Amino acid sequence: MAIFSVYVVNKAGGLIYQLDSYAPRAEAEKTFSYPLDLLLKLHDERVLVAFGQRYSIRVGHAVLAINGMDVNGRYTADGKEVLEYLGNPANYPVSIRFGRPRLTSNEKLMLASMFHSLFAIGSQLSPEQGSSGIEMLETDTFKLHCYQTLTEMPIRCELFDQNLKLALEVAEKAGTFGPGS
């Protein structure tokens, strides 16, 4: 099991450090002819598949590249709107790469504060006095571990970054991430 991200949240629920330790892989790339047999929609400044799941392309996947050129949100690398570009029959055949969209900074902040809220609720609802709250949230595809820290201020230290990346590499090579992992 790999470590995808590290979030450090203070007692108030504010995100004070975040590190992504993975590169999202493209899920599928396919060459299409006109008309496109997928329904694409703009959502949160990203072009996402809304209907027409096929070829390992799933609903919710984002358009990552067109004809080998990266897409930035709703625009191609040369500044054209993706939906407008794909709506023009003159641009076909076209090769489109799809994949899971990366979280935006705002989404990372919301994720950290939501998890902190769940942690706090779990601490208060526990029948045991002095409960530590949520320690691990497990699904069929990932495990979310929660470790407490006394840190309050944002972490901006190159030495911290280097040591954390080294610890992640060691943990990945060892293949163990604590009990039950």
Side-chain angles (χ1 to χ4, degrees), residues 24-166:
R25 60 182 170 84
E27 302 269 342
E29 186 163 359
K30 178 156 177 27
T31 301
F32 293 91
S33 57
Y34 189 83
L36 199 59
D37 58 351
L38 299 169
L39 177 61
L40 302 176
K41 291 206 172 177
L42 189 62
H43 180 70
D44 289 337
E45 293 299 309
R46 294 184 202 141
V47 178
L48 302 177
V49 177
F51 182 79
Q53 187 166 293
R54 59 179 55 84
Y55 319 114
S56 301
I57 301 166
R58 303 281 176 247
V59 170
H61 278 186
V63 174
L64 300 178
I66 296 176
N67 293 331
M69 295 179 64
D70 286 342
V71 166
N72 186 13
R74 65 191 295 179
Y75 297 100
T76 61
D78 54 358
K80 298 176 185 165
E81 285 206 22
V82 170
L83 293 175
E84 192 174 301
Y85 181 85
L86 295 175
N88 184 350
N91 294 326
Y92 287 81
V94 65
S95 175
I96 307 174
R97 186 174 38 149
F98 296 89
R100 297 187 65 143
R102 290 190 78 116
L103 293 175
T104 65
S105 298
N106 193 39
E107 289 168 332
K108 291 174 185 178
L109 288 169
M110 289 185 333
L111 177 67
S113 67
M114 277 192 278
F115 186 72
H116 177 268
S117 299
L118 289 173
F119 172 81
I121 291 169
S123 297
Q124 295 194 1
L125 290 178
S126 174
E128 293 292 322
Q129 189 70 352
S131 171
S132 63
I134 295 173
E135 292 181 6
M136 181 175 61
L137 181 66
E138 185 174 357
T139 72
D140 60 341
T141 57
F142 71 90
K143 291 181 183 178
L144 182 61
H145 294 268
C146 181
Y147 302 103
Q148 295 183 44
T149 179
L150 300 175
T151 307
E152 288 294 323
M153 299 301 294
I155 300 169
R156 293 185 185 96
C157 174
E158 188 65 34
L159 188 57
F160 181 83
D161 287 342
Q162 291 170 358
N163 286 327
L164 178 61
K165 288 175 185 175
L166 182 63

Side-chain angles (χ1 to χ4, degrees), residues 9-23:
V9 181
N10 65 16
K11 287 182 181 181
L15 182 63
I16 58 175
Y17 182 82
Q18 191 276 325
L19 171 74
D20 285 326
S21 66
Y22 72 100

